[in-house]
Amino acid sequence: MSRTTTEAVRAAAFGFAAVALFLCLVYDRADGARWDVLAALAAGAVCAGVWAFATRGEPVPAPGPRQWHGLPSVLPRNPVDRFAVAGMLLAATAPFAAYRFAAHGEVHDGFLVLGALPLVVWLLVFVPVLWRLLVRRLPERHRLLAQDAEAGRVVAVRFESAGAEWARIVEEDNPRLIDPRPEIARMLKVRDEHGKWYGVQGLLPGLFGRSTVGEVSLFGARFKGEHIWIMWPERWEAVLAVARRQRPPAYPVAVVSETGEMIWGYAAIDYTDRYLTDPANLRPTVPGLAGRPLRPRPAFRTAVHGRMYLRLAVALAALTPLLLDLVSGAASAWLGFLAAVALADAPFAASRANARVPDPTRWTVPPVADLRTGGGAAR
């Protein structure tokens, strides 16, 4: 199935979910079965299933032909992810809509308000998330890098990409002897012309919306074994002066492939001075040449999307008796509350799984390194 078709099916799933949500918010629960809402939910579920079937195990596309014209002077922000915005709006409003639909007219108004109040607060929490998705403001350090690139000069080094690595490290001060929980570092692993290794991490962790972990994994899988460029700001000393007092204490970078695709990231202060202090690495950028933000290519993963689908199925199962007008009163309110909780947890379930379970088709997963033992022995 082509990318255009899968994206159309994915958009249809969001569209049918939005129709069901609109019907629940606009029209109060009336006597008789609500076949209109059930039909919208069923159509959305079918589209979601078709998308999952069509994209499961989808291979990462190979890079296009090299068209290297030099270092770009225009480093754009990531474009607005319309699916992320739509998903965020649905996640924000669906729990409130489900509970209100189930409890309105079925319980005392005091209980209705008591149950709806935390769901209204939940909705308001999403306002800054929506702002971040739409405005896409870069951190100050990355804006400095973008300004230096536009001004015509940056520090840049050509590397060979070794792909994305999911490193698990037990820190030296970890006190647990049995099953110590390792720290997880997800990075793009690269090697310079002298054989020295270096790593770049994603711009910011993604909870709702476009995941930067996904960007690193896709870039690493697509350009593994290819040559890429890492760009730092020419004014790196100014960054260093404040980086030690901020989180994360790292340099801003832009990673650019030789096909022109790019991602934003951070690079640790350690092991970076060898590149920044070499005058040969100060390079000009090409006026008017723009990098292309990496286009996301979502695909179904059972470990991630399966957990979200399970919660959505629980919500649908809880709402079905209400929509068929089989229950009323307190039972209706409790089923609505169960649906609201399942809907609220669905995006978190996917986010937690995405942060804990690597995709072996996109990540290299080395053994756990225990830094408390000599040489960081793996286990």
Side-chain angles (χ1 to χ4, degrees):
M1 189 176 291
S2 68
R3 178 187 176 94
T4 302
T5 304
T6 56
E7 290 296 277
V9 172
R10 186 177 176 217
F14 279 92
F16 283 121
V19 169
L21 179 62
F22 175 80
L23 293 172
C24 286
L25 285 173
V26 173
Y27 299 106
D28 290 334
R29 184 176 176 188
D31 293 335
R34 290 296 303 273
W35 295 107
D36 54 347
V37 180
L38 272 172
L41 291 175
V46 170
C47 289
V50 170
W51 176 83
F53 180 81
T55 62
R56 74 195 193 288
E58 187 174 71
V60 175
R66 291 183 180 86
Q67 298 177 348
W68 184 244
H69 303 296
L71 297 171
S73 60
V74 180
L75 302 178
R77 298 171 294 174
N78 289 331
V80 174
D81 189 333
R82 294 185 295 273
F83 287 108
V85 174
M88 187 276 297
L89 289 173
L90 290 173
T93 54
F96 171 77
Y99 178 76
R100 177 188 174 277
F101 178 82
H104 184 62
E106 302 294 327
V107 295
H108 189 275
D109 287 347
F111 291 103
L112 176 63
V113 173
L114 186 63
L117 184 60
L119 297 176
V120 172
V121 175
W122 162 265
L123 191 152
L124 294 176
V125 166
F126 279 74
V127 173
V129 180
L130 176 62
W131 175 261
R132 188 182 69 180
L133 288 174
L134 293 175
V135 176
R136 299 158 292 125
R137 184 175 177 83
L138 286 172
E140 185 179 23
R141 279 176 270 181
H142 291 80
R143 295 201 304 272
L144 183 75
L145 170 56
Q147 290 173 1
D148 284 359
E150 189 174 12
R153 202 162 61 167
V154 294
V155 179
V157 176
R158 192 169 185 249
F159 291 88
E160 180 184 357
S161 173
E165 181 172 284
W166 188 283
R168 297 164 296 169
I169 302 169
V170 178
E171 297 290 353
E172 293 178 340
D173 57 353
N174 193 307
R176 298 192 61 175
L177 294 175
I178 300 176
D179 296 329
R181 177 172 292 182
E183 296 288 333
I184 296 176
R186 295 169 289 265
M187 68 184 72
L188 179 70
K189 190 174 181 180
V190 298
R191 182 170 54 189
D192 65 20
E193 62 180 358
H194 304 293
K196 295 182 178 179
W197 293 101
Y198 194 64
V200 174
Q201 293 184 304
L203 179 59
L204 289 171
L207 179 58
F208 299 105
R210 189 170 182 177
S211 170
T212 57
V213 173
E215 288 178 1
V216 172
S217 70
L218 177 56
F219 191 96
R222 180 178 294 182
F223 298 105
K224 186 174 183 178
E226 302 286 332
H227 285 99
I228 54 95
W229 288 82
I230 296 181
M231 301 167 56
W232 298 266
E234 180 186 14
R235 293 173 288 177
W236 62 268
E237 292 175 312
V239 175
L240 181 62
V242 300
R244 294 192 179 101
R245 303 192 299 271
Q246 294 181 346
R247 302 297 299 175
Y251 289 112
V253 298
V255 186
V256 185
S257 73
E258 296 199 337
T259 63
E261 293 178 284
M262 61 162 285
I263 59 173
W264 292 99
Y266 283 108
I269 292 177
D270 297 335
Y271 311 113
T272 303
D273 286 351
R274 63 192 182 202
Y275 305 118
L276 301 180
T277 55
D278 186 349
N281 294 331
L282 197 58
R283 303 175 188 272
T285 57
V286 179
L289 182 64
R292 300 194 312 275
L294 187 69
R295 187 181 180 189
R297 193 179 182 92
F300 179 81
R301 284 182 58 208
T302 303
V304 176
H305 299 96
R307 302 183 187 191
M308 181 175 67
Y309 277 27
L310 177 61
R311 284 152 179 80
L312 295 178
V314 169
L316 180 60
L319 288 174
T320 298
L322 312 180
L323 297 171
L324 292 175
D325 200 29
L326 299 178
V327 294
S328 60
S332 177
W334 279 112
L335 285 174
F337 184 75
L338 173 61
V341 172
L343 290 169
D345 190 52
F348 285 105
S351 179
R352 289 193 299 267
N354 193 44
R356 296 175 183 175
V357 184
D359 181 355
T361 66
R362 294 188 177 187
W363 294 96
T364 299
V365 187
V368 177
D370 193 338
L371 299 183
R372 302 172 301 179
T373 60
R379 63 180 181 86

